[in-house]
Amino acid sequence: MFKWFRRQSLTFRLNLSILLCVLFGGMSLLYFISHYSQPIVRSHIEELAKKSLQELSARLVSIEGDTEAATLTMKNTLKELKTTDVNMIRNILQSALQTLTYDESDTSHAWIYVFPDGEVSKGTLYSGIFEDGKFIFKTSFIENFYNKYPWFTAVPKEEENFWSEPYVDEEHTDKKTWVVTSLIPFKFSESEQYNGLVAVSIDLEDIQKDVLAREFQSEGHYLLTSKEGLYIAHPDRNIQLKKTIFNLAKEKNLPELDEAGNAIKNGLSGSIQMPYSSVYDSSVIFFYNSISDIGWGLYLVFSQKVFFKPLIKFQFEILVSLLLGLIALIVLISWICHISTKPLLDLSKIAIQYGQGNFKAELPERYSQDEIGDMIKAFHKMKDNLLNYINVIEKNAAEKQRDKSELEISNHIQQAALPKNFPLHPAFEVYASMLPAKSVGGDFYDAFFIDENHFAIAIADVSGKGIPAALYMMVTKTLIKNIAKTGVSITEIMQQTNNELCSITEAEMFVTAFLAILNVKTGVLEYINAGHNSPFYKDKDGYKMLTEKHDIVLGGLSGITYHAHKIKMKKGDRLCLYTDGISEGQNIHGKFYGENRLSKCLNNSIQSTEDTIYFVFNDVKKFAAGVEQFDDMTMLELRYDGADENTHVFAADVKNTDAVLQFVKDDMQNNHLSEQSVYKMVVATEEIFSNISQYAYSKGGMVHISTSLKNGLYYIQYIDYGKYYDPLLKSDPNITDSAEKRRVGGLGIFLVKNMVDKITYKRDKGQNILTIGIKVA
């Protein structure tokens, strides 16, 4: 995204940057207003909701108060009578109903129940009701008052007002009417026990209509419950007067609803949020208010979406205003940016031409007195400086090209001098590698057979860099190898090499070197350290540094005597050689990798020689953490695996054919093979060894010949390090053709194939491995 932005024009970037800043500011303002206005709006609406509940509660309390006052008046009037007076009871009922009707109460009817002493369940019921403006008075005898009004069992036996739960009245109206009754016990003036009850029943239909008809801000709904939680008023007909708030809480899994119902029972008021309700499927705010005198609960349920509708409308108006302002601002900014950036764009086009090497484009001569004028002056100077600088660059480029060519030549010399393939021998394993630094150095290593029983390894570091160091390294490596091949002692090798290097007086260089020669039969290792890093030797106790005194470096002083040291290597012992590019590897803090860290790393890596070397390389890289190194990292490790009597190493020379055949004869006779088998293997060996000696190497090499007896077959394996050649790919000659028609070559390997029972070939790590086998009788 950032790359795309940088590719756009200056005008576009200025427009977009300013626009984004303004947009960010506007959105931040919108968020700020929304964030801080939401609590204010919420508080305001909650306050309105609570006031609305209180107003409706006051209306219900007024009805309750008028009804209780009427029952209390009837009780007090009856208290003045000595005994039942039907006419007086009629007048009392008519007077009470007229008072309530005048007050526009939702009264259904009033009644007085008189029972004899000790017989509450039997008595006379006097009731009155207004129908079509006429007062109707009824008298009836009640056999079982509890059956007629089951809720009467909950009335306390004391002289105080009691409100019943809602019930269906079938006694005083033609239709089933839901009412609630306020009643109180009374005594005649000369009675010590209660003589009856006075009651006024309120028709709930008008109260329901009044509650349900009310709306709060067009979306809020009011609900009304009795003191036991029965819904008196609810928009859902399947809930109204059929379910309690506690039943509905269980049914809809709304513990918040149950909490609100219990709060009403305890005479509390407040609000609570719910994820949904019986009115709305979405999140709601549930306000509740207790009508404590009669224990009823009044509720207001409000959808949260509608609750914050004014705030959303306000936010939308702000957003529209912001967008209109942005559009006007974009037009203004575009015009200002166009005027301000036009001179810069013209300069940009000229700069592009300058960048393409075209300096013909002319800059304006008249300068303004602002920053643009200063920039035009700077462009004039830049043009002159660029033309001068290009001339200098062209000269330097030619010189750098010559330096680069020298660097590539040096690198090629260094890489070509290092062996890439190492001999596979049952007596040892050897591997070496070098990671070159940026500048070409003089590190080198070598590993080669002196004769069939002596194997030499060397590692060295030439002082200096570049082509001189690479050439000096090549000379040193060649001297060591050629002198060693003459068969002289290890001290003579180093002394002759030193004298030869000292004779090159113009070089003024020296070499730190370590040379070791292993007797593969005995395991005896002779070595000389000519000023090189002390190597690590591993035995059963792990890797330890060889700390013998070093001799002087090669090429430092002519006529020096070098001193050899010996170690008798045991099976599994290792010798690890390295250059100072390993020990002096540096990290970002300038600290060296060091021999102690190298020792720990080696002791944590008991694996193949190749894996050990790359394990160390990776540890040095990890330590350096990306810091560029200025010296080559070179390592060589030799592991001694013990001599194998069944393996012999011969120089690849036809002069050694008799020695090879004698080795094969002796080994087969020791294994008690038949004369016919011996004859076949001797003939096959002569053919194979002759081919290797004549064609595998251009300047001579070694052949490893090993024997084994496995699964009823006697095997001979030939390993050479010459050029790739798979004799099994050679097609068989047609032996029926005459000598004149038969093509040259292929007859020898054809005879070998037919004389042995098994023959295989593979190429592995630069080695030709040919194995032949014959069945053992």
Side-chain angles (χ1 to χ4, degrees), residues 758-777:
K758 187 172 183 180
I759 181 168
T760 61
Y761 169 84
K762 68 176 180 178
R763 179 79 174 180
D764 184 29
K765 296 182 180 179
Q767 301 170 108
N768 295 305
I769 304 173
L770 181 67
T771 306
I772 61 174
I774 191 168
K775 290 181 180 178
V776 178

Side-chain angles (χ1 to χ4, degrees), residues 431-558:
Y431 190 81
S433 183
M434 183 188 73
L435 290 181
K438 183 176 181 182
S439 58
V440 176
D443 283 12
F444 76 85
Y445 60 81
D446 205 354
F448 56 91
F449 273 99
I450 296 174
D451 55 40
E452 64 181 54
N453 292 325
H454 293 87
F455 183 72
I457 57 172
I459 193 168
D461 186 1
V462 178
S463 63
K465 305 289 182 184
I467 290 180
L471 293 175
Y472 201 74
M473 174 270 291
M474 195 75 172
V475 171
T476 306
K477 178 179 178 295
T478 304
L479 283 172
I480 292 175
K481 188 168 187 177
N482 289 344
I483 294 172
K485 289 285 188 177
T486 63
V488 299
S489 67
I490 189 171
T491 55
E492 279 294 323
I493 296 172
M494 296 299 274
Q495 287 166 187
Q496 290 184 35
T497 302
N498 176 61
N499 292 335
E500 290 292 336
L501 291 175
C502 287
S503 66
I504 311 174
T505 56
E506 296 83 1
E508 296 183 355
M509 291 183 177
F510 62 86
V511 183
T512 68
F514 187 96
L515 175 65
I517 299 175
L518 172 67
N519 187 319
V520 297
K521 292 292 185 182
T522 64
V524 174
L525 182 79
E526 273 193 292
Y527 64 89
I528 292 176
N529 190 335
H532 198 72
N533 303 81
S534 296
F536 283 90
Y537 185 83
K538 179 194 171 295
D539 56 16
K540 61 183 179 62
D541 296 323
Y543 285 90
K544 296 178 182 177
M545 186 178 287
L546 296 178
T547 57
E548 290 90 350
K549 185 178 179 181
H550 296 183
D551 287 323
I552 195 169
V553 296
L554 298 176
L557 186 62
S558 179

Side-chain angles (χ1 to χ4, degrees), residues 743-760:
R743 67 178 184 273
V744 179
L747 184 59
I749 193 64
F750 172 73
L751 293 174
V752 173
K753 290 180 184 178
N754 284 278
M755 295 183 76
V756 300
D757 297 304
K758 187 172 183 180
I759 181 168
T760 61

Side-chain angles (χ1 to χ4, degrees), residues 295-325:
W296 285 7
L298 185 62
Y299 308 88
L300 173 58
V301 59
F302 205 106
S303 170
Q304 286 223 54
K305 292 180 180 178
V306 179
F307 190 89
F308 293 108
K309 194 172 183 180
L311 178 61
I312 295 171
K313 181 181 178 183
F314 177 60
Q315 291 172 339
F316 177 75
E317 291 172 352
I318 293 177
L319 183 60
V320 171
S321 301
L322 180 63
L323 290 176
L324 293 175

Side-chain angles (χ1 to χ4, degrees), residues 43 73 85 110 124 316 339 347 352 374 411 417 469 546 560 563 597 709 716 720:
S43 176
T73 299
D85 186 336
T124 305
F316 177 75
I339 293 175
L347 286 176
I352 291 172
D374 294 338
N411 190 282
L546 296 178
I560 295 298
H563 305 87
R597 190 183 298 272
L709 193 62
I716 300 179
D720 69 78

Side-chain angles (χ1 to χ4, degrees), residues 348-374:
S348 173
K349 294 177 182 178
I350 294 174
I352 291 172
Q353 295 183 50
Y354 284 1
Q356 295 172 347
N358 178 17
F359 293 96
K360 294 180 180 179
E362 293 296 332
L363 289 162
E365 293 297 333
R366 294 182 181 179
Y367 309 141
S368 59
Q369 299 302 315
D370 57 8
E371 292 84 354
I372 303 297
D374 294 338

Side-chain angles (χ1 to χ4, degrees), residues 242-256:
K242 293 179 182 178
K243 296 180 181 180
T244 68
I245 191 171
F246 304 107
N247 298 143
L248 201 59
K250 289 181 180 180
E251 182 181 311
K252 292 192 172 288
N253 192 23
L254 282 171
E256 297 88 353

